[in-house]
């Protein structure tokens, strides 16, 4: 029976037998790899023990595969191996600092896969005391180790790693640069973010995307120019990330600066390609669960949408008028007023909403407010009738206010 069939059948005991008894390195290696695919198997303990034994193989390839599989199994699987090497019992009840000490010792192992696993383990433990030892691995001869060490410092989030991570941004391996950029974004202090600014020009798309994604963590308008330039990136993923970061930036800046930065963003975006901005903005408003992001998006949409994306923006903003968040409804209303236009598209959509008896009076009120800014003679006549017909004070009050701006009652 093939090893693939054993994996499909979940026959880990037979895979273990093959791992231990086969005299072919290639077969042992494959068995070790496949055993890493059973993290929740009833015979997990036997799987872990077999892989720990295989990690002491005379074959470097089998050792590497066994270590990778132990790491894939998660839990305390890799800890059992490292504890064995360090002469420490790393059971489930062992203190995190004890585990971290053993992992730090394993960072000096001769086998790169073990150093990788140790770096991963330290990232899971998130012990700040391990940061200096992890940064030593930034000079490891194996780029995989450098990448894993960078990733773990990012998970720990200790600012002491910032300077060392900066040195990895010029690493010849894109994977290492990518992990360093993401780690700096996670740390997010002023030095880390400042360091990331030049990375939006990196040759590797994923590095650019990670760097651009981190720009949203700034609390000032410094990255606005970089983000606007990233809107013209050849990669759609980078362009979309730039839009998300612009919205995140607006959510993070101090309240007393947010208006100025909004105006700066609008000025920069107004000259950009409409569709590259509108599509991700619409997605944020439709899908985000963060209130500040959705409010900023609603405010921005009506001010940056050009003719090509106007219809889709209109649909999204009209839907936002029915949102539970009152401030979001207000921002959507002001954006609809900004959207305006001589084609009366906004007026027609809002009148349809106002004339629907099933629409909530609060929602009608927001729509009427906007009609007072963009409506014409048809709106004036509709609102005039509504004043007499409505049973809701808020609708009547909003209609009086809007119709006064349209020339008064007929």
């Amino acid at each position: 029976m093939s090893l693939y069939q054993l994996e499909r059948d979940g026959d880990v005991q037979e895979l273990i037998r093959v791992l231990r008894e086969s005299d072919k390195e290639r077969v042992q290696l494959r068995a070790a790899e496949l055993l890493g695919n059973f993290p929740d198997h009833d015979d997990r303990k036997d799987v872990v023990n077999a892989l720990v034994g295989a990690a002491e193989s005379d074959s470097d390839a089998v050792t590497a595969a066994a270590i990778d599989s132990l790491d894939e199994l998660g839990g305390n699987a890799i800890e059992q191996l490292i504890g064995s090497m360090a002469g420490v019992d790393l059971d489930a009840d062992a203190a995190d600092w004890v585990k971290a000490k053993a992992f730090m010792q394993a960072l000096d192992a001769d086998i790169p896969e073990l150093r990788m696993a140790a770096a991963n383990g330290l990232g899971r433990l998130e012990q700040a005391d391990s940061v200096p030892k992890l940064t030593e691995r930034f000079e490891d001869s194996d780029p995989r180790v450098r990448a894993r060490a960078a990733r773990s410092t990012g998970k720990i989030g200790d600012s002491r790693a910032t300077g060392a991570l900066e040195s990895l941004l010029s690493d010849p391996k894109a994977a290492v640069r990518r992990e360093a950029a993401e780690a700096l974004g996670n740390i997010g202090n002023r030095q880390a973010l400042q360091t990331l600014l030049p990375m939006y020009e990196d040759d590797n798309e994923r590095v650019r995307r990670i760097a651009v994604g981190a720009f949203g963590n700034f609390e000032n308008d410094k990255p606005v120019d970089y983000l606007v330039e990233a809107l013209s990136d050849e990669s759609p993923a980078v362009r979309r990330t730039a839009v998300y970061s612009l919205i995140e930036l607006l959510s993070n800046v101090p309240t007393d600066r947010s208006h100025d930065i909004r105006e700066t963003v609008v000025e920069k975006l107004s000259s950009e390609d409409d569709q590259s901005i509108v599509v991700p903005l619409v997605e944020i408003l439709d899908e985000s669960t963060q209130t500040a992001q959705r409010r900023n998006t609603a405010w921005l949409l009506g001010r940056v949408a050009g003719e090509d994306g106007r219809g889709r923006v209109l649909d999204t903003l009209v839907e936002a008028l029915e949102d539970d968040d009152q401030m979001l409804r207000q921002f959507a209303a002001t954006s609809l007023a900004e959207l305006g236009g001589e084609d009366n598209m906004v007026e027609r959509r809002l009148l349809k909403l106002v004339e629907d008896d099933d629409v909530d009076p609060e929602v009608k009120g927001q729509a009427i407010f906007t009609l007072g800014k963009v409506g014409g003679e048809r709106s004036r006549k509709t609102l005039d009738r509504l004043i007499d017909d409505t049973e809701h004070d808020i609708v009547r009050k909003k209609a009086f206010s809007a119709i006064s701006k349209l020339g008064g009652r007929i």
Side-chain angles (χ1 to χ4, degrees):
M1 185 178 293
S2 71
L3 295 181
Y4 297 102
Q5 187 62 48
L6 293 175
E7 180 195 19
R8 285 195 292 270
D9 293 345
D11 192 348
V12 300
Q13 292 299 335
E14 185 61 18
L15 283 171
I16 289 171
R17 186 193 67 77
V18 171
L19 175 62
R20 288 174 171 164
E21 298 179 8
S22 176
D23 56 0
K24 296 180 179 179
E25 180 185 69
R26 177 177 55 81
V27 174
Q28 286 184 308
L29 186 151
R30 188 59 184 147
E33 290 175 342
L34 294 176
L35 284 169
N37 296 330
F38 297 97
D40 302 315
H41 198 278
D42 291 341
D43 294 337
R44 174 187 167 92
K45 184 175 181 180
D46 292 341
V47 172
V48 172
N49 288 336
L51 289 170
V52 168
E56 300 175 0
S57 167
D58 292 334
S59 164
D60 290 344
V62 173
T63 295
I67 292 170
D68 279 343
S69 284
L70 286 166
D71 208 23
E72 285 292 322
L73 290 175
N76 65 345
I78 196 67
E79 294 172 5
Q80 186 170 325
L81 171 62
I82 291 176
S84 175
M85 294 178 55
V88 179
D89 184 11
L90 297 183
D91 59 26
D93 296 326
D96 283 350
W97 70 268
V98 175
K99 296 178 183 178
K101 187 175 180 180
F103 278 122
M104 284 190 280
Q105 181 177 329
L107 281 176
D108 294 325
D110 292 335
I111 303 169
E113 286 77 13
L114 191 52
R115 301 198 297 274
M116 291 163 57
N120 286 346
L122 288 169
R124 289 194 295 269
L125 293 171
E126 297 186 7
Q127 294 286 299
D129 289 345
S130 65
V131 167
K133 190 69 177 177
L134 281 167
T135 57
E136 289 179 11
R137 288 295 104 200
F138 290 179
E139 298 181 3
D140 198 282
S141 59
D142 192 310
R144 297 173 301 167
V145 178
R146 300 197 298 274
R148 303 293 178 90
R151 181 190 303 173
S152 288
T153 57
K155 288 181 178 179
I156 296 169
D158 192 301
S159 61
R160 289 176 296 173
T162 303
L165 284 166
E166 183 177 356
S167 70
L168 290 183
L169 294 178
S170 57
D171 194 278
K173 294 292 185 179
V176 177
R177 300 198 303 275
R178 183 171 67 245
E179 295 291 356
E182 188 156 2
L184 286 165
N186 289 337
I187 291 172
N189 63 10
R190 183 176 300 179
Q191 180 186 353
L193 295 173
Q194 183 74 22
T195 299
L196 283 173
L197 288 176
M199 297 306 294
Y200 83 103
E201 293 183 324
D202 194 274
D203 292 339
N204 184 269
E205 173 192 332
R206 291 185 65 187
V207 174
R208 295 199 304 278
R209 180 171 55 80
I210 289 167
V212 168
F215 292 170
N217 294 328
F218 274 73
E219 295 183 353
N220 56 55
D221 59 358
K222 190 155 193 172
V224 170
D225 287 341
Y226 296 90
L227 287 170
V228 171
E229 186 167 343
L231 291 171
S232 302
D233 194 277
E234 63 184 22
S235 163
V238 174
R239 296 197 299 270
R240 288 165 59 86
T241 301
V243 175
Y244 277 84
S245 281
L246 281 167
I247 294 299
E248 188 67 20
L249 183 69
L250 293 176
S251 304
N252 287 335
V253 295
T255 304
D256 59 349
R257 296 291 321 282
S258 63
H259 179 74
D260 291 341
I261 294 177
R262 276 199 191 99
E263 294 298 335
T264 300
V265 170
V266 170
E267 180 183 354
K268 298 287 186 182
L269 295 187
S270 296
S271 61
E272 292 297 314
D273 172 48
D274 176 57
Q275 286 300 305
S276 68
I277 300 164
V278 166
V279 172
L281 283 176
V282 168
E283 290 177 354
I284 293 170
L285 189 53
D286 287 343
E287 301 171 8
S288 176
T289 59
Q290 297 187 30
T291 301
Q293 283 187 0
R294 300 186 72 230
R295 288 175 178 174
N296 283 315
T297 302
W299 182 91
L300 195 59
L301 265 172
R303 292 160 174 82
V304 301
E307 287 302 316
D308 290 343
R310 196 158 167 269
R312 186 171 184 184
V313 170
L314 175 58
D315 291 341
T316 300
L317 289 174
V318 169
E319 288 180 15
L321 289 178
E322 302 186 54
D323 197 87
D324 292 336
D325 180 15
Q326 181 180 2
M327 187 171 291
L328 175 62
R329 295 199 302 268
Q330 292 174 354
F331 283 159
T334 60
S335 267
L336 283 165
E338 291 286 338
L339 206 57
E342 297 180 359
D343 58 5
N344 298 324
M345 185 187 299
V346 175
E347 181 184 26
R348 291 196 302 271
R349 286 296 305 277
L350 292 176
L351 284 172
K352 184 177 180 181
L353 195 67
V354 167
E355 293 170 335
D356 188 341
D357 293 336
D358 295 328
V359 173
D360 184 276
E362 292 284 348
V363 176
K364 283 191 180 184
Q366 292 291 352
I368 292 169
F369 163 82
T370 307
L371 285 172
K373 293 179 175 293
V374 302
E377 185 63 18
R378 181 181 173 188
S379 293
R380 189 164 77 99
K381 291 178 179 179
T382 300
L383 295 178
D384 186 72
R385 291 195 305 271
L386 193 62
I387 289 173
D388 295 328
D389 296 343
T390 184
E391 298 176 355
H392 302 287
D393 289 341
I394 187 171
V395 172
R396 187 178 295 108
K397 181 179 179 181
K398 293 285 187 181
F400 266 118
S401 176
I403 206 170
S404 67
K405 300 173 184 176
L406 299 175
R409 300 199 66 179
I410 299 171

